[in-house]
Amino acid sequence: MESTFSSPAEAALQREAGVPGLLTPPEDLDRVYELERVTKFVCDLGCQRVALQFPDQLLGDAAAVATRLEEVTGSKMFILGDTAYGSCCVDVLGAEQAGAQALVHFGPACLSPPARLLPITFVLGQRSVALELCAKAFEAQNPDPTAPVVLLSEPACAHALEALAALLRPKYQDLLISTPALPLPAGSPSSQLEPLERFGRRFPLSPGRCLEEYGAFYVGGSQASSDPILDPDLSRLLLGWTPGRPFISCCPDTGQTQDQGAQAGRLRARRLYLVERARDARVVGLLAGTLGVAQHREALAHLRKLTEAAGKRSYVLALGRPTAAKLANFPEVDVFVLLACPLGALAPQPSGGFLRPVLTPCELEAACNPAWPPPGLAPHLTHYAELLPGSPFHVPLPPPESELWDTPDVSLISGELRAPPSWKLSHDTGCSALAQRPQLELAESSPAASFLSSRSWKGLEPRLGQTPVKEAVHGRRGIAIAYEDEGCS
């Protein structure tokens, strides 16, 4: 029987590990999984126990890769196949439980900084790219050779961006190449001009230039599935890119291009609707997603402070991977906010959908902080670390006496005027026509407690000492559709 808040233990044994991928031929393992680079990484650190993290579609090659690395390095390899939250996040917790001294992550990655320090290297894969077709597509979409354009790609195509730029640089001078934001090796010299790091990528901008000036040319996806909603990495780029700047995607196999401007507008409109839902909400559920990403505790405290300042109730729920069945057990919650990595927060929802909308921390920030967004900030932030103090996008809450809290606010969903926070009403001394009555006290109740009190079923109650003792009797026999004492119908 399935538990209310978690899956049964038997489900982990009976579940299939996603869609099985094709096995890589043994002669191609060194090239596909970059075993030479991984071997150098392990030998340089002198690790005796190493964890290998594979996504579901690559688990078929896990045993062969681990065996090959053990033969070459002499170290013990542990395969992490069932990650705690998502395959894109580094499973540092699982590696520590195995006593690993280093971790090798294979497949697509969100490149979020882990919560614990551990030597990590990434093998993103190398997907083949038709350079000539992509170069022709770039020239067709960018007739102006002086227009600033940045080259982007999915993680598996990042290896081909330098070769693509070599074909385009004789004609296009203002061309910027992004690289994955891989962790720098320990002891590497830090340059004075550090590149801008956003969207899990690094952008080597020239002094005086900003990313908002550039258009984008994205190499990735496929002709069969060009919907960016199904690709969280592309959705993150479309939401965060400057509105009004061109964003073109190109299939690396065929060179077919598509203008993603209309799709980016639809994604932003959806996010604005979620902001309105968060402003109307009275009870907010904070879903603690992955615990392997850095600063998740600070982000949780920041969101609780936001909801308290806006006069809302917040409850922290640690349910693992959110599903519609789990979240349906909390109908008193108006909206949920998922604290996860950028790709996990933008992952497509299940086909059945959720009873209440699931938001990212950026939507809650826009709904509860009247000073958000800061002037000049156009993109949509997808990582909660960008909202915390120390980030250039952090905006502190206005002081209680600020006029921003008194600005009239009308809901665009219900059309009603939203009331100011309860703490604002209790401290409002502008009206002195009524005499105060100190003997009367106002008891503020929790919306969740009021909803629970109205339920007909409130859970199991032990009622110790109140239930009379009775002798055991024979129960009914048969199946539920036809017990033996019911006869035939």
Side-chain angles (χ1 to χ4, degrees), residues 65 102 139 155 161 355 417 426 428:
V65 172
E139 295 175 355
L161 291 187
L355 180 64
L417 182 66
S426 60
D428 189 4

Side-chain angles (χ1 to χ4, degrees), residues 227-355:
D227 191 356
I229 296 181
L230 303 179
D231 185 359
D233 182 59
L234 184 53
S235 299
R236 170 172 61 167
L237 290 170
L238 292 179
L239 283 171
W241 210 255
T242 305
R245 302 303 300 174
F247 196 107
I248 307 298
S249 64
C250 176
C251 176
D253 302 324
T254 62
Q256 182 178 1
T257 59
Q258 183 178 1
D259 188 355
Q260 301 291 349
Q263 183 62 42
R266 288 191 291 266
L267 288 175
R268 295 191 185 99
R270 170 64 181 173
R271 295 295 155 182
L272 292 177
Y273 166 76
L274 294 178
V275 171
E276 289 297 313
R277 291 292 301 267
R279 288 172 177 167
D280 291 340
R282 297 179 57 200
V283 182
V284 179
L286 304 178
L287 300 177
T290 175
L291 302 180
V293 180
Q295 295 184 296
H296 64 273
R297 295 179 182 271
E298 294 82 354
L300 187 60
H302 176 71
L303 296 183
R304 296 186 67 179
K305 181 180 178 181
L306 275 179
T307 54
E308 182 181 0
K312 305 178 187 295
R313 298 283 182 175
S314 63
Y315 299 92
V316 180
L317 306 174
L319 305 177
R321 195 185 302 255
T323 62
K326 293 178 184 179
L327 301 188
N329 292 281
F330 305 96
E332 64 272 16
V333 176
D334 297 320
V335 294
F336 294 95
V337 180
L338 179 60
L339 276 82
C341 68
L343 301 187
L346 298 176
Q349 298 182 1
S351 57
F354 293 104
L355 180 64

Side-chain angles (χ1 to χ4, degrees), residues 347-422:
Q349 298 182 1
S351 57
F354 293 104
L355 180 64
R356 297 288 188 266
V358 179
L359 287 65
T360 63
C362 183
E363 281 103 41
L364 187 65
E365 181 83 29
C368 299
N369 189 352
W372 180 269
L377 178 61
H380 180 95
L381 305 180
T382 54
H383 190 25
Y384 57 73
E386 298 174 320
L387 305 174
L388 301 179
S391 170
F393 304 107
H394 171 70
V395 178
L397 287 169
E401 62 274 8
S402 175
E403 297 180 354
L404 295 176
W405 297 106
D406 300 327
T407 303
D409 190 13
V410 178
S411 172
L412 299 181
I413 298 178
S414 62
E416 299 178 356
L417 182 66
R418 297 191 183 99
S422 56

Side-chain angles (χ1 to χ4, degrees), residues 53 85-92 103 105 107-122 124 155 180-184 197-202 232-233 236 290-296 339-346 382-386:
Q53 181 178 346
Y85 185 79
S87 59
C88 64
C89 298
V90 176
D91 192 4
V92 180
L103 187 146
H105 184 284
C110 60
L111 300 178
S112 301
R116 292 174 174 85
L117 295 179
L118 187 71
I120 303 170
T121 187
F122 292 87
L124 303 177
L182 300 174
L184 298 176
E197 186 171 329
R198 291 192 61 191
F199 313 115
R201 297 164 172 84
R202 292 190 178 98
D233 182 59
R236 170 172 61 167
T290 175
L291 302 180
V293 180
Q295 295 184 296
H296 64 273
L339 276 82
C341 68
L343 301 187
L346 298 176
T382 54
H383 190 25
Y384 57 73
E386 298 174 320

